[in-house]
């Protein structure tokens, strides 16, 4: 009789097809006080149970799961099923990425939220990867020593240029223009960008938004020292899904709390919103996304000839439309979109506007069967640029009364592109190759890209990837640019039970020659501790550059996560003015000669943070977080500012020590 009433303890992990579920709530049906919430790795433990008790497991957006207790159990595996998985009336068609096997990493939204340095932003999460060589603390990803402009970004198959906001210059809050709540995945190619997308010569980030949302409506509200945001997503009808979000980023609280860090920033704010609609019909799946942004940034700019606030305003919109239909092993897709960006710059005798539109349309035909893929298609990309206003006549005379010149310029660049790509899987190997060509009618130029990939699974835990290709990219910045680059890379992945090693070697040659290596070691000690250490070295134009990153995550108590990060890299370059000439008619000094390239002191940043998951009920949970960036207030130099006659200069610094905190609520309604 005593055994019937013996105390029972159960433990295990809660997962879904997307991975582990931190913050899932488990409780005894007859006594809500006997409960637990899964930690950052999805683990739970509940004591004080008896045989016959019913346990209920709940997580926002997933169907409740219940089971009866008959005895103590360890290492239980509870697989939650999302409401969207229940809806099988019409199959959702997902775009096939032919080169996916050769990607460096595929990041899910859960990976982004669990990354302590990502600030819940997809691109910021990517900048923490070992292949990122971003040096200015923003969300524009630079890969393996190349310029951030050489990276290609594609959202739902549509190219996006410069996917960051002006407010990102504060290095706080949501930085890029992508909403993580709506994200399905971010696939990262730090080298050998997929030929099926093109228009990238360094790496490519392929972002796909969600195909569908749960049957129950999900709501997320966020409040931090820099933003207030809200998103809502769910099902409308039996075959369609809708998501809406809005976010306002402000400066008052952040500036008051971190006055030293933001002493040179007069103001910043951003208002953004978006809508995502998907529907899955017998004639195909359609995904429509519309995004809008108003962005303003005003900072103190000290030039030898003039000092005042430098104002940057931006209006932006992004539209993507995607149609996909499957015919057995074949898939047809059409994507279309347009990116619009209008910017205004005001400082001294500078006052001008730039406008850009980038219409895009593509059609793709794909065959896939048991790992084999054949893909071909056509794409049109138009790039249109306008500049109107006045700019300084002399780059060393910027005061309002100094001479300026009126400008009214426009430029247009279009390309018609064809590509073919194939991937063949044979036992434990995969081979991929493709070719892409672009015809530019204005200049009557023909550009070519080609690519070869190879993947070998030596064992279940050891993989080798190799790639080689030549790539092109066309841009309109201040003038037309055609960048051509060839790349060769070798990547090795070796995984153990509680550790993983990644080693890369790469060579980029063409317009920009770079040779280097990347190493990463990850260690996992049970569910309490994780260490990630990466280093990279590369040589560019005879100069060696290096990066080092250390990330530590520790779970001391249930629902608590502590994290620390250390990042260091070789300082940025600069040139000093060695001689000047005084111009009496303008009362300014003109620099005439500059010294050879010099390097600032190495960059160093140690940051710490803490977060706690909480659950009020089976329909309401959340996350509270706090982060201190640059704890030791390292003076990381980014540029220099001269006095009026160039006889002395000061260092301009990147992020000083700053505090950032916020809270996120997630809830559902029937």
């Amino acid at each position: 009789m005593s055994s019937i009433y013996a105390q029972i303890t159960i433990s295990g992990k809660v997962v879904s097809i997307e991975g582990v579920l931190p913050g899932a709530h488990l409780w005894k049906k007859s006594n809500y006080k006997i409960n637990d919430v899964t930690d950052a790795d999805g683990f739970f433990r509940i004591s004080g149970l008896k045989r016959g008790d019913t346990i209920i497991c709940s997580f926002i957006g997933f169907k409740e799961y219940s089971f009866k207790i008959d005895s103590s159990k360890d290492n239980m595996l509870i697989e939650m099923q999302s409401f969207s998985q229940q809806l099988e009336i019409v199959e959702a068609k997902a775009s096939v990425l032919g080169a996916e096997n050769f990607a460096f990493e595929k990041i899910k939204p859960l990976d982004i939220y669990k990354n302590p340095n990502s600030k819940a932003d997809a691109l910021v999460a990517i900048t923490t990867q070992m292949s990122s060589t971003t040096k200015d603390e923003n969300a524009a990803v630079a890969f393996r020593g190349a310029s951030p402009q050489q990276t290609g970004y594609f959202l739902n198959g549509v190219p996006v240029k410069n996917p960051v906001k002006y407010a990102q210059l504060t290095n706080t809050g949501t930085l890029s223009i992508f909403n993580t709540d709506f994200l399905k995945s971010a696939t990262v190619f730090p080298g050998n960008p997929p030929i099926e997308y093109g228009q990238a010569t360094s790496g490519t980030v392929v972002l796909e938004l969600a195909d569908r949302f749960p049957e129950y409506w999900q709501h997320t509200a966020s409040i931090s020292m820099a933003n207030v945001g809200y998103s809502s997503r769910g099902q409308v009808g039996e075959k369609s899904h809708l998501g809406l979000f809005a976010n306002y980023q402000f400066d008052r609280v952040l500036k008051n709390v971190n006055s030293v860090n933001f002493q040179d920033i007069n103001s910043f704010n951003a208002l953004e919103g978006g809508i995502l609609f998907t529907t899955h019909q017998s004639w195909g799946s359609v995904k429509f996304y519309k995004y809008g942004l108003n962005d303003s940034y005003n900072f103190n700019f000290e030039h030898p000839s003039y000092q005042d606030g430098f104002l940057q305003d931006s209006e932006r919109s992004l539209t993507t439309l995607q149609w996909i239909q499957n015919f057995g092993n074949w898939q047809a897709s059409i994507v279309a979109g347009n990116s619009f960006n209008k910017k205004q710059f005001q400082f001294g005798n500078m006052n001008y506007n730039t406008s850009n539109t980038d219409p895009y349309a593509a059609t793709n035909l794909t065959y896939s069967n048991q790992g084999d893929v054949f893909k071909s298609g056509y794409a049109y990309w138009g790039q249109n640029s306008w500049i109107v206003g006045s700019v300084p006549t002399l780059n060393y005379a910027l005061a309002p009364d100094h001479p300026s010149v009126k400008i009214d310029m426009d430029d247009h660049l279009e390309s018609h592109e064809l590509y073919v790509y194939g991937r063949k899987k044979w036992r434990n190997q995969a081979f991929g190759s493709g070719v892409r060509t672009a015809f530019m009618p204005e200049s009557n130029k023909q550009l070519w890209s080609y690519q070869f990939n190879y993947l070998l699974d030596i064992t279940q835990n050891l993989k080798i990837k190799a790639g080689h290709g030549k790539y092109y990219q066309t841009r309109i910045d201040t003038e037309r640019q055609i960048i051509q680059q060839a790349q060769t890379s070798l990547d090795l992945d070796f995984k153990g039970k509680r550790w993983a090693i990644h080693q890369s070697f790469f060579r980029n040659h063409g317009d920009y020659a770079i040779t280097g290596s990347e190493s990463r070691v990850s260690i996992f000690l049970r569910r309490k501790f994780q260490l990630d250490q990466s280093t990279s070295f590369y040589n560019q134009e005879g100069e060696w550059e290096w990066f080092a990153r250390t990330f530590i995550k520790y779970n001391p108590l249930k629902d608590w996560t502590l994290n620390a990060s250390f990042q260091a890299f070789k300082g940025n370059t600069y040139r000093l003015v060695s001689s000047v000439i005084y111009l009496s008619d303008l009362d300014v000094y003109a620099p005439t000669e500059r010294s050879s390239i010099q390097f600032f002191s190495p960059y160093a940043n140690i940051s710490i943070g803490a977060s706690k998951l909480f659950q009020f009920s089976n329909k309401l949970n959340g996350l509270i977080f706090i982060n201190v960036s640059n704890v030791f207030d390292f003076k990381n130099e980014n540029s220099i500012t001269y006095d009026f006659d160039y006889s002395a200069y000061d260092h301009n610094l990147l992020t000083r020590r700053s505090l950032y905190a916020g809270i996120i609520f997630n809830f559902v309604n029937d």
Side-chain angles (χ1 to χ4, degrees), residues 232-439:
S232 181
R233 52 221 182 267
Q235 183 178 331
V236 287
E238 294 184 341
K239 304 177 182 180
S240 303
H241 307 265
L242 180 67
L244 303 164
F245 82 90
N247 182 66
Y248 176 63
Q249 195 165 344
F250 49 83
D251 57 18
R252 183 67 60 85
V253 177
L254 209 59
K255 281 171 56 65
N256 289 342
V257 174
N258 304 284
S259 57
V260 173
N261 188 44
F262 295 99
Q263 62 183 350
D264 291 326
I265 299 177
N266 298 321
S267 65
F268 67 88
N269 63 78
L271 178 62
E272 60 186 329
I275 178 172
L276 173 65
F277 175 77
T278 68
T279 186
H280 308 289
Q281 307 290 338
S282 59
W283 41 264
S285 293
V286 172
K287 184 187 301 182
F288 171 80
Y289 179 62
K290 181 72 175 182
Y291 171 84
L293 166 70
N294 278 301
D295 196 14
S296 180
Y297 185 68
N298 188 320
F299 64 97
N300 289 328
F301 183 57
E302 297 184 359
H303 188 270
S305 65
Y306 185 65
Q307 299 83 42
D308 198 1
F310 195 122
L311 177 63
Q312 301 176 132
D313 286 318
S314 174
E315 298 176 18
R316 182 163 196 162
S317 69
L318 173 65
T319 306
T320 71
L321 180 63
Q322 183 185 67
W323 170 83
I324 299 175
Q325 177 65 303
N326 294 334
F327 305 94
N329 293 330
W330 290 88
Q331 180 185 90
S333 67
I334 298 175
V335 295
N338 184 49
S339 178
F340 167 77
N341 197 355
K342 181 179 180 180
K343 300 178 182 179
Q344 182 178 17
F345 302 90
Q346 291 182 350
F347 178 80
N349 58 350
M350 176 191 308
N351 188 346
Y352 69 95
N353 296 312
T354 68
S355 298
N356 299 86
T357 61
D358 300 298
Y360 180 84
T363 179
N364 306 280
L365 183 64
T366 307
Y367 171 84
S368 59
N369 183 28
Q370 298 181 349
D372 296 340
V373 174
F374 172 80
K375 193 171 183 180
S376 64
Y378 160 81
Y380 166 82
W381 190 8
Q383 300 178 66
N384 307 292
S385 175
W386 296 268
I387 303 177
V388 178
S390 58
V391 296
T393 303
L394 306 169
N395 60 10
Y396 49 80
L398 306 185
D401 57 343
H402 287 157
S404 62
V405 59
K406 297 289 185 181
I407 56 172
D408 188 351
M409 303 168 53
D410 64 272
D411 201 357
H412 309 277
L413 184 64
E414 64 177 23
S415 60
H416 300 268
E417 306 186 29
L418 296 170
Y419 78 91
V420 59
Y421 180 84
R423 186 184 82 205
K424 176 65 178 178
K425 187 177 184 301
W426 183 68
R427 294 183 179 177
N428 62 334
Q429 303 176 73
F431 306 85
S433 65
V435 63
R436 188 180 189 98
T437 184
F439 175 69

Side-chain angles (χ1 to χ4, degrees), residues 104 123-135 138-146 188 190 518 534-536 538 546-549 567-569:
F104 180 80
L123 295 190
V124 181
I126 293 170
T127 63
T128 67
Q129 305 301 310
M130 74 175 191
S131 293
S132 170
T133 52
T134 302
K135 281 192 168 185
N138 70 44
V141 185
F143 285 124
R144 296 179 172 176
V188 183
E518 302 165 345
S534 65
T535 56
S536 61
Y538 63 90
W546 55 269
F547 280 76
R549 295 184 177 91
Q567 300 189 62
F569 53 78

Side-chain angles (χ1 to χ4, degrees), residues 606-619:
I606 297 177
S607 300
I608 59 174
S611 63
K612 185 184 188 312
L613 292 164
F614 59 84
Q615 182 122 10
F616 293 119
S617 70
N618 63 323
K619 293 186 179 180

Side-chain angles (χ1 to χ4, degrees), residues 16-17 57 114 239 243 280 337 417 511 595 644 653 661:
S16 74
I17 60 173
C57 181
K114 290 175 63 179
K239 304 177 182 180
H280 308 289
E417 306 186 29
D511 294 340
S595 65
F644 74 100
L653 305 178

Side-chain angles (χ1 to χ4, degrees), residues 490-556:
L490 177 66
D491 298 273
L492 298 91
D493 284 291
F494 192 21
K495 296 181 179 180
K497 185 177 181 180
R498 300 197 180 280
W499 53 270
I501 297 175
H502 184 99
Q503 177 65 53
S504 296
F505 301 97
F506 58 89
R507 165 69 175 167
N508 301 343
H509 43 97
D511 294 340
Y512 303 93
I514 305 171
T515 303
S517 70
E518 302 165 345
S519 306
R520 182 177 66 191
V521 177
S522 300
I523 299 174
F524 313 93
L525 299 180
R526 299 184 181 275
R527 61 188 186 184
K528 291 284 188 179
F529 179 83
Q530 177 180 338
L531 170 68
D532 192 278
Q533 173 66 56
S534 65
T535 56
S536 61
F537 299 89
Y538 63 90
N539 187 287
Q540 185 174 22
E541 297 181 350
E543 292 287 348
W544 280 99
E545 301 270 357
W546 55 269
F547 280 76
R549 295 184 177 91
T550 304
F551 297 111
I552 299 174
K553 186 174 70 172
Y554 177 55
N555 303 110

Side-chain angles (χ1 to χ4, degrees), residues 204-248:
T204 295
V205 178
V206 179
L207 300 114
E208 279 290 334
L209 298 182
D211 300 311
R212 61 201 325 169
F213 294 119
E215 180 181 352
Y216 280 16
W217 276 81
Q218 300 178 87
H219 308 271
T220 300
S222 63
I223 304 173
S224 78
M225 294 167 58
N227 86 293
V228 175
Y230 173 80
S231 70
S232 181
R233 52 221 182 267
Q235 183 178 331
V236 287
E238 294 184 341
K239 304 177 182 180
S240 303
H241 307 265
L242 180 67
L244 303 164
F245 82 90
N247 182 66
Y248 176 63

